[in-house]
Amino acid sequence: MKSLRKSLVAILMVAMLLITSFPVMAAPILEGAGSITVNKPTDPAVTLKGRDLKAYQLFSAKFAGTDKGSYFLSDDQFAVVKEITGVDGLTINPTGTKEEAIKAISDWLTDNARTSADLEKFSRAVLDANKTAGGKLPVGSLEVNGAGDKASLNNIELGYYLVADETTNFTGDLQNDTKAIVALSNTNPHREVNLKADVVTIGKKINNATQNDKSNPQDKLDNDNHSIGENIDYELTSKVPDMKGYESFYFIFKDTLSKGLAYQDDSLVIKVGNKTLVKDTDYTLEKDGDAKNGTNLKIIFKNFIQYADQAGAAITATYTAKITEDVEVGKTGNPNKVKLIFQRDPDEDTKGKPDNPDNPTGETPEQEVRTYTTELKLHKTDNAGQPLAGAEFKLTGDRIKTVLTTGQAYLKSTEVKEGYVQADANTYYKLKTGQYTTEAPTTDNQEDYESQDTYKLYNFTNVKEENAGTTGVTLTTGPDGNLTFTGLGAGIYKLEEITAPAGYTAAKPIYIKISWTAPVEGQTDCTWTYEKSDKANGPWETLGDNNSNMVTVENTPGTLLPETGGIGTTIFYALGSLIAVIALVVLVSRKRVQASHR
């Protein structure tokens, strides 16, 4: 028996410990004939999916027929109401009765002089009081429908409710923190709340007013193409949100440039309405990174609450970036992203940093634009398809700024630049024919050599040719016959063979047309097409198969000359002269014989 008593005592002690270990939870809203429906904004249309909408019951109501109802406060509700402070014109006596508290609140709420700012402040005070009292107000969650255009809470007790949007870490279309006071009565038990349509958004475009791509007449683009060395003008757009009920408001643009996009210092211009902001006075700019690795920009508006009376005013920020040699070449493109960080809750703790808090809660989805660049490859051959060295080519076009070049070259030691790697261990000498040989000059054939200088064969990749402009870029093919011009945008380019390899006739100029098509919606890969013609205005013929970006230039032989490594041309000159003399002697002899027979 004693052991049974001890067991019961132990069970009761454990039960009491379990009871005291659970936090006090708010009571559910009692069932009734009322309902609350929240509608999404229609302009702009914002989905309610992902939102956490709550309805807090401030006090309940009982009605007899159509008579005026009576309002009631439970002990838990009264504990919250007594904590409400800081609302202009509303005073609640913490030692007074429930009836006095109900009258003070109902009289304040039904006063026609109440503004939306007053109601926002009252809503904040109720939520603060509920936290102070331990979260004792009855609360229910509104259920969002499948379409995301409505959220509802049905079959609830009549009375006064505070509807609050308590969404955290929301990544959809965001707007200011939403609160509303709703009264459910016997004559109007079903109430609807229309959310504010003041959506906090940010947009980003490429401003193509400079018309880099002559084939694309639009000014504001999501995607564009550029040549290395060209500038890109970016434009960020937003608007001043509704800041009613806020005492401070942080507002930050966070912009990310991928590698290959170099932010141009002092190019940033920001406007709020008609006012041009002053750096370090109205905003600060934090810049981190570089064009080789990517750059982060953080534009922090100072004392943004000063624009509260300009709700809806346009905000624009423009700046310039330059395409560098670190850019991604091809179809993938180079992204530039931006998002807006802002204050969602008037009660948010900014930890002494009202303009740039450590843990912000409001954040819009990222907006992205992309820019693209491409390259042109050249392959030099003879009429048998074998690669030819020593052909000098010049590429010109109105969009050539800075070009990265790739190929092979014979260079003296003093001519080697960054990006050149020795191809083999041989030492080369240059013949007067323009060819190179590994055979050193001797006293017998030194007249066949351009000089006694020595050369090495180098491979080079992405060597920068700056400020090409209308003068173009000139390169000479190496033994593999290949050259690459990297960093070109859409346009028409002229490819000229300035010097043909010795013994060959230079090819006619070739015009190359590079066209660009933006990616389809939802994708990031663009489309490049490459065509050629012997005239600047076409007709155009596609390069190779599947829109290859390699143009093959063929040379036909002229006077036959020795190959690389030969002893020169002297022997051919001597043989030619000897043959001419022999022919002359034979001709003269024949004429004499014929004359003697007459």
Side-chain angles (χ1 to χ4, degrees):
M1 191 70 175
K2 287 183 179 179
S3 62
L4 179 60
R5 287 178 180 174
K6 287 181 179 179
S7 299
L8 289 173
V9 169
I11 291 172
L12 288 172
M13 290 179 64
V14 171
M16 291 182 68
L17 286 171
L18 288 172
I19 291 170
T20 56
S21 66
F22 284 105
V24 176
M25 304 297 291
I29 301 171
L30 296 178
E31 289 190 4
S35 69
I36 298 174
T37 299
V38 172
N39 299 316
K40 74 172 185 179
T42 56
D43 184 22
V46 178
T47 181
L48 297 182
K49 289 182 178 180
R51 289 192 174 276
D52 183 15
L53 296 164
K54 298 286 180 64
Y56 292 90
Q57 188 187 48
L58 192 54
F59 38 81
S60 60
K62 303 294 183 183
F63 293 88
T66 58
D67 295 337
K68 185 177 180 180
S70 299
Y71 297 100
F72 300 91
L73 282 173
S74 67
D75 290 342
D76 283 346
Q77 289 169 322
F78 189 39
V80 173
V81 166
K82 288 190 293 185
E83 297 292 338
I84 297 175
T85 59
V87 180
D88 295 338
L90 175 62
T91 302
I92 298 174
N93 184 359
T95 61
T97 65
K98 293 180 180 180
E99 289 72 19
E100 290 173 339
I102 290 173
K103 186 176 188 309
I105 293 174
S106 59
D107 287 349
W108 189 90
L109 288 173
T110 55
D111 188 336
N112 292 330
R114 298 281 77 84
T115 65
S116 58
D118 291 335
L119 294 174
E120 177 72 24
K121 196 168 187 177
F122 173 77
S123 300
R124 290 170 54 196
V126 170
L127 292 176
D128 288 343
N130 191 43
K131 291 178 183 177
T132 302
K136 294 184 177 181
L137 287 180
V139 62
S141 296
L142 281 74
E143 183 178 352
V144 180
N145 67 2
D149 59 354
K150 292 181 182 296
S152 57
L153 180 61
N154 300 314
N155 304 317
I156 56 176
E157 189 178 19
L158 303 180
Y160 269 91
Y161 289 85
L162 167 60
V163 177
D165 182 356
E166 297 189 344
T167 308
T168 57
N169 300 322
F170 187 66
T171 58
D173 295 320
L174 291 173
Q175 63 186 46
N176 286 341
D177 196 40
T178 299
K179 300 179 182 71
I181 302 296
V182 179
L184 304 183
S185 66
N186 63 331
T187 56
N188 197 356
H190 308 292
R191 298 294 298 271
E192 293 191 1
V193 176
N194 295 317
L195 288 186
K196 293 181 294 184
D198 183 33
V199 179
V200 179
T201 61
I202 189 166
K204 183 159 197 173
K205 294 291 183 182
I206 297 173
N207 189 348
N208 196 38
T210 54
Q211 296 294 298
N212 289 311
D213 179 5
K214 307 299 183 183
S215 66
N216 195 340
Q218 299 182 58
D219 287 344
K220 306 293 176 66
L221 304 169
D222 294 322
N223 304 283
D224 201 4
N225 70 88
H226 290 83
S227 296
I228 291 177
E230 287 183 344
N231 286 333
I232 312 174
D233 295 326
Y234 291 109
E235 181 178 81
L236 314 179
T237 55
S238 187
K239 64 177 182 177
V240 177
D242 184 354
M243 293 182 277
K244 291 186 180 70
Y246 287 79
E247 295 178 359
S248 65
F249 199 93
Y250 58 80
F251 201 76
I252 301 165
F253 290 170
K254 189 172 182 181
D255 193 281
T256 303
L257 293 83
S258 65
K259 70 183 184 71
L261 302 177
Y263 171 75
Q264 301 300 288
D265 292 335
D266 301 323
S267 64
L268 180 62
V269 177
I270 303 176
K271 289 186 176 183
V272 177
N274 295 323
K275 178 184 177 182
T276 300
L277 305 192
V278 178
K279 185 179 179 182
D280 298 327
T281 299
D282 301 312
Y283 72 92
T284 57
L285 173 64
E286 295 180 1
K287 176 176 172 285
D288 177 49
D290 54 35
K292 286 189 175 295
N293 304 291
T295 306
N296 295 313
L297 302 176
K298 198 172 185 181
I299 303 169
I300 304 164
F301 291 79
K302 301 178 72 172
N303 189 28
F304 191 75
I305 194 69
Q306 66 181 298
Y307 309 112
D309 60 348
Q310 299 182 50
I315 301 173
T316 61
T318 59
Y319 70 89
T320 301
K322 178 173 284 189
I323 300 287
T324 74
E325 62 270 22
D326 299 297
V327 74
E328 186 74 25
V329 177
K331 299 188 300 182
T332 305
N334 302 270
N336 185 310
K337 303 177 181 180
V338 70
K339 63 182 177 182
L340 174 60
I341 299 171
F342 65 97
Q343 186 168 341
R344 295 200 64 243
D345 189 340
D347 299 320
E348 185 176 331
D349 183 6
T350 57
K351 298 180 180 179
K353 299 176 68 177
D355 295 328
N356 185 20
D358 295 323
N359 298 296
T361 59
E363 188 175 294
T364 65
E366 283 188 324
Q367 301 297 311
E368 179 183 281
V369 295
R370 285 181 179 247
T371 190
Y372 301 79
T373 191
T374 190
E375 62 188 11
L376 176 67
K377 297 180 179 180
L378 180 149
H379 184 53
K380 182 66 175 175
T381 71
D382 61 15
N383 58 340
Q386 296 301 309
L388 283 179
E392 187 177 27
F393 283 92
K394 180 179 181 181
L395 182 71
T396 55
D398 61 0
R399 295 196 68 185
I400 291 183
K401 304 296 182 185
T402 299
V403 181
L404 305 181
T405 58
T406 300
Q408 289 186 321
Y410 294 98
L411 299 175
K412 301 175 186 177
S413 59
T414 56
E415 296 174 329
V416 179
K417 297 186 291 186
E418 183 180 353
Y420 285 77
V421 178
Q422 191 169 318
D424 57 42
N426 295 326
T427 297
Y428 295 89
Y429 301 87
K430 189 175 183 181
L431 297 168
K432 289 180 178 179
T433 62
Q435 296 171 300
Y436 291 83
T437 177
T438 56
E439 183 179 327
T442 66
T443 54
D444 294 332
N445 64 4
Q446 61 184 358
E447 69 274 10
D448 299 328
Y449 289 78
E450 187 176 88
S451 68
Q452 301 292 317
D453 295 335
T454 59
Y455 297 80
K456 295 287 186 180
L457 178 61
Y458 290 88
N459 297 320
F460 60 95
T461 302
N462 289 345
V463 173
K464 188 192 299 186
E465 304 288 342
E466 294 189 80
N467 303 318
T470 56
T471 61
V473 176
T474 301
L475 293 176
T476 303
T477 59
D480 63 359
N482 293 331
L483 294 174
T484 301
F485 303 89
T486 298
L488 306 176
I492 295 177
Y493 300 88
K494 185 179 181 181
L495 186 62
E496 297 176 89
E497 186 172 6
I498 299 173
T499 304
Y504 290 87
T505 303
K508 293 180 179 179
I510 300 173
Y511 293 89
I512 305 295
K513 181 180 179 181
I514 300 177
S515 302
W516 173 83
T517 304
V520 299
E521 187 174 353
Q523 297 185 15
T524 57
D525 283 3
C526 73
T527 301
W528 292 101
T529 55
Y530 311 86
E531 299 169 288
K532 67 178 180 178
S533 176
D534 57 0
K535 298 179 181 178
N537 57 353
W540 300 101
E541 175 189 349
T542 301
L543 293 184
D545 297 327
N546 300 318
N547 288 322
S548 166
N549 63 341
M550 177 175 283
V551 56
T552 299
V553 181
E554 180 181 311
N555 279 144
T556 55
T559 305
L560 294 178
L561 295 173
E563 296 181 357
T564 299
I567 60 173
T569 61
T570 304
I571 188 170
F572 292 97
Y573 295 144
L575 287 174
S577 300
L578 179 60
I579 291 170
V581 170
I582 293 172
L584 179 61
V585 170
V586 170
L587 179 62
V588 170
S589 298
R590 283 182 177 179
K591 286 185 176 182
R592 286 179 177 177
V593 171
Q594 290 174 354
S596 65
H597 284 298
R598 292 192 188 105

